Amino acid sequence: MEEATKRKAVKVDVPKERPTEYYGKYVFNRQKMFEYLPAKTFQALCKAIDNKEPLSREVADSVAEGMKKWAIDCGARHYTHWFHPLTDGTAEKHDSFIEHDGKGGVVEEFSGKLLVQQEPDASSFPNGGIRNTFEARGYSAWDISSPAFIMDDTLCIPTIFISYTGESLDYKTPLLRALNAVDKAGTRVARYFDPEVNHVTSYLGWEQEYFLIDEALYAARPDLVMTGRTLMGHESAKNQQLEDHYFGAIPSRVEAFMLDLEIECNKLGIPAKTCHNEVAPNQFELAPIYEETNLANDHNLLLMGLIAEVAKRHNFRVLLHEKPFAGINGSGKHNNWSLGTDKGVLLFSPGKTSKDNLQFVTFITNVMAAVHRHNALIKASIASATNAHRLGANEAPPAIISMFLGTQLSNILDEVEHSDSAETLDVKGREEMNLGLSQIPEIMLDNTDRNRTSPFAFTGNRFEFRAVGSSANCASAMIALNAAVADQLNQFADAVDAAVASGKTRREAVWEEIRKLIRYSKPIHFDGNGYSDEWKEEAGRRGLDTETSAPLMYDAYLSDQSVDMFGRTGVFNRVELEARNEVKWEIYTKKIQIEARVLGDLAINHVIPAATRYQSLLLENAYKIKELFKGDKADKISRQDLTSIETISDHIAEIRSEVEAMVNARKVANKIDDEREKAIAYHDTVVPRMENVRYHIDKLELMVDNEIWPLPKYREMLFIR
Ligand code: ADP
Ligand code: MG
């Protein structure tokens, strides 16, 4: 343990080239395509990527040949289809390029068929019953919109993963469908303002928070190793009260790690930009420059794998869990999200002219309406056993989705709502002034009026969805959000088109619909303190979803409203939604089950023996005092020991009985067949017992001799020097 706190920074192997030279070194980007593919293939591939078209077999073969050559030039020996199953993280099955050459030797082969489609034997991935064993085949198919890359010595080909019958078994497939839906619907509405628009793109800029811990301390905490969080541990006397970590200098060990990580990110084409300390001790953040959502999400998943590898090189372990340590801030992954046209206009960014600003208000109000209508679903999209420790627990944001707009945008919307549209619009040449929309102040672009307590905040040219968990696949949130907004934009366009068909001008029709949306969305708009108890009550009165149990939040995926919305946008059919919920409930149960087992073991095998040992020491001491001092004096002195002995006994007894109750609750829950009911039972009956066990263990930690306590404490784990 001593060594752990004295470790020196590891020297980083910094490339001789400038970052601009090694950036994207291991990515088969357009530059590499141009270099390694015949001109005709290059053009066909670019066209397919740009227009989202399938590749012909002939082109695929030629691409595979060029890609293989590039990969081998980079030292790769294997290739894999890289996909995102419904578990945490990513999956891959490595094959080597080697094939028999028919003469007793081997050649390095990679055909278009292998590039484009494979059938991983993936019956062990969660599928919610979609793939029964008799049709245990799933297909992985190349997602040409995301470039292939090389990790270690393996060519990784980003793929979707679907069942034999076409249902999605991954995150990427529905994400691509949702992005396609928002492209179509967004383009339809954006064309009201600029008929030249061909595409609307969804952008994502994630901010990954994480904790670092020394590997020796990590190894000494079985709970961290097995569950990613500390299941026990009393608060350190000093934690984040002084807010000195946030502003403090980065320790040199961590600085070396960050530099190494940044270099590795850059080589893989991840535009890592900011690395800094976060609020809690040992907590840090990495944020790249935002990218198209599908690519950004691939990069986040890649980063989550990479960060673990790089941390090990520096004798650290990285904790991506939402709440590794109780009593200090947890980790989230803010999803900065926006929409933009292929004409370079960011649709949530106020413009210079009245037309631009009408477009801005149109898109903003549609997002508000979508988030309002689907607030329960959007919350469900970020709900998990691990994120439950942040949401609705003792830490913000609360388990309620609301939107922060800020004073300026709120004022603008008020103005739109209350101005007399007909008159305003009739007065030619004055409309800009009267609409007030051309005068949106520039400072909005650099919105400093930030409310950190809001789970979904407007931040000047984008929305920041802050409730996403640090270990989550962002796709879950991005699917729900983009699909909901796509559906809302379509409804909006339908209403506008109908009004135009009945004789209104387009501008009037847009104006009228915007005002309806502003009125409709009022309940979701909240600029106040999201941490307050009053807000929880107020949100309930407003009809927002206030459910705090993750297994029950998942029900929102199966409401008629959600099923219809996902059906209309083509993102999920009912079978997929039902199967996915099965998986969500199952994962919830398993996570709590593992935690409960680990906690039971630690309580009985580590904590109670240590407490008992200390108790015996106290007893021995009490006897000796009695012998030495005799009479009243002895009583007085040993009374303190006796009180401690008694308190320790009480805590031990409580731990034993709570562990027993926890085990029994688990046994009862395990007998339930229905996945939903089982998850609810785990939430309602197992989790509260775990909290009780922890309470008594943490009390003992304060009493028992430090020498005897079997686990590293918070104060030891939380301060890297
Ligand atoms: P903060 O911590 O203050 O929220 P950061 O600079 O850490 O800000 O992160 C902001 C993230 O938002 C970055 O990933 C940035 O690229 C991203 N971002 C900026 N503008 C947009 C936009 N229009 N759409 C999506 N993401 C954006
Ligand atoms: Mg942020």
Side-chain angles (χ1 to χ4, degrees), residues 70-196:
W70 167 72
I72 290 170
D73 282 355
C74 291
R77 302 165 65 90
H78 299 93
Y79 63 90
T80 181
H81 273 196
W82 182 77
F83 56 98
H84 315 161
L86 297 176
T87 47
D88 296 339
T90 58
E92 48 216 63
K93 172 178 164 267
H94 296 220
D95 280 311
S96 90
F97 288 117
I98 288 174
E99 298 285 346
H100 285 297
D101 67 354
K103 299 174 213 144
V106 288
V107 286
E108 292 189 300
E109 272 276 327
F110 186 52
S111 67
K113 186 164 163 275
L114 288 173
L115 166 66
V116 171
Q117 187 172 311
Q118 288 188 21
E119 294 180 22
D121 174 26
S123 46
S124 51
F125 290 110
N127 60 69
I130 284 182
R131 282 177 313 119
N132 297 325
T133 31
F134 61 86
E135 47 157 76
R137 275 189 303 178
Y139 288 98
S140 58
W142 185 26
D143 163 23
I144 59 170
S145 65
S146 183
F149 56 90
I150 293 170
M151 263 283 252
D152 300 326
D153 70 344
T154 303
L155 168 67
C156 300
I157 299 148
T159 54
I160 58 167
F161 182 38
I162 52 177
S163 77
Y164 189 58
T165 41
E167 284 92 8
S168 59
L169 296 170
D170 66 346
Y171 281 109
K172 197 187 247 293
T173 309
L175 179 63
L176 289 171
R177 291 178 188 157
L179 296 176
N180 187 38
V182 86
D183 176 3
K184 290 223 170 76
T187 302
R188 196 175 157 198
V189 174
R191 277 189 183 151
Y192 292 158
F193 305 93
D194 176 4
E196 304 286 304

Side-chain angles (χ1 to χ4, degrees), residues 207 334 336 450 452 464:
E207 301 166 49
H334 295 177
N336 293 271
R450 293 205 182 171
R452 294 276 165 195
E464 191 168 330

Side-chain angles (χ1 to χ4, degrees), residues 614-647:
Y614 180 55
Q615 205 180 23
S616 313
L617 285 178
L618 291 177
L619 273 170
E620 225 173 280
N621 194 42
Y623 274 119
K624 283 183 186 154
I625 285 172
K626 263 220 142 87
E627 262 171 43
L628 260 174
F629 291 94
K630 311 251 171 21
D632 274 3
K633 197 161 186 192
D635 282 351
K636 209 167 147 196
I637 299 174
S638 63
R639 199 169 305 134
Q640 289 157 4
D641 276 346
L642 292 179
T643 316
S644 297
I645 290 163
E646 236 180 283
T647 316

Side-chain angles (χ1 to χ4, degrees), residues 203-207 246 273-274 276 278 285 287-291 334 336-339 346 450 452 461-464:
Y203 295 106
L204 167 63
W206 43 264
E207 301 166 49
Y246 193 68
K273 199 169 161 70
T274 54
H276 59 76
E278 268 302 320
E285 179 188 290
I289 303 168
Y290 69 95
E291 299 173 288
H334 295 177
N336 293 271
W337 169 79
S338 66
L339 296 174
L346 277 180
R450 293 205 182 171
R452 294 276 165 195
N461 65 353
R462 61 188 187 267
F463 288 94
E464 191 168 330

Side-chain angles (χ1 to χ4, degrees), residues 684-695:
D684 293 353
T685 65
V686 179
V687 171
R689 295 295 181 185
M690 291 175 60
E691 283 163 9
N692 293 347
V693 174
R694 178 184 187 140
Y695 173 84

Side-chain angles (χ1 to χ4, degrees), residues 242-471:
L242 300 175
E243 298 185 348
D244 48 353
H245 184 66
Y246 193 68
F247 297 106
I250 299 176
S252 58
R253 272 186 76 190
V254 178
E255 213 165 77
F257 155 80
M258 282 180 172
L259 173 63
D260 206 356
L261 181 62
E262 190 183 296
I263 293 168
E264 293 298 334
C265 281
N266 287 166
K267 285 183 190 164
L268 280 165
I270 304 172
K273 199 169 161 70
T274 54
C275 297
H276 59 76
N277 289 0
E278 268 302 320
V279 179
N282 276 15
Q283 193 186 27
F284 306 93
E285 179 188 290
L286 180 138
I289 303 168
Y290 69 95
E291 299 173 288
E292 183 277 316
T293 298
N294 176 43
L295 182 62
N297 192 47
D298 280 358
H299 281 165
N300 181 243
L301 290 162
L302 204 48
L303 180 274
M304 288 200 282
L306 198 59
I307 199 169
E309 289 302 309
V310 177
K312 281 182 197 161
R313 273 188 229 159
H314 294 260
N315 308 111
F316 286 128
R317 285 293 184 278
V318 69
L319 306 175
L320 293 177
H321 192 289
E322 281 77 359
K323 194 78 174 174
F325 304 99
I328 56 173
N329 273 24
S331 299
K333 180 150 55 196
H334 295 177
N335 276 205
N336 293 271
W337 169 79
S338 66
L339 296 174
T341 70
D342 58 336
K343 302 296 166 223
V345 174
L346 277 180
L347 293 161
F348 306 146
S349 188
K352 294 244 182 308
T353 67
S354 138
K355 196 171 79 176
D356 288 349
N357 285 330
L358 188 58
Q359 170 167 280
F360 161 70
V361 174
T362 298
F363 276 89
I364 294 281
T365 50
N366 272 286
V367 173
M368 288 171 64
V371 174
H372 180 213
R373 182 167 299 117
H374 297 284
N375 73 86
L377 172 71
I378 286 170
K379 187 168 76 183
S381 77
I382 50 95
S384 68
T386 52
N387 208 16
H389 294 282
R390 293 171 68 226
L391 305 161
N394 305 320
E395 185 184 328
I400 300 163
I401 299 295
S402 63
M403 281 175 89
F404 169 85
L405 300 178
T407 332
Q408 293 171 23
L409 182 54
S410 305
N411 289 345
I412 290 162
L413 296 183
D414 272 351
E415 233 173 281
V416 174
E417 188 191 347
H418 296 113
S419 53
D420 184 345
S421 66
E423 194 187 300
T424 322
L425 288 165
D426 282 349
V427 186
K428 262 209 170 137
R430 284 187 55 211
E431 61 186 41
E432 292 202 358
M433 216 165 57
N434 284 350
L435 291 180
L437 290 179
S438 63
Q439 284 133 8
I440 296 178
E442 294 273 327
I443 48 167
M444 240 174 87
L445 287 168
D446 180 30
N447 196 326
T448 45
D449 177 18
R450 293 205 182 171
N451 180 332
R452 294 276 165 195
T453 71
S454 175
F456 202 104
F458 178 70
T459 50
N461 65 353
R462 61 188 187 267
F463 288 94
E464 191 168 330
F465 188 15
R466 305 199 180 113
V468 182
S470 50
S471 72

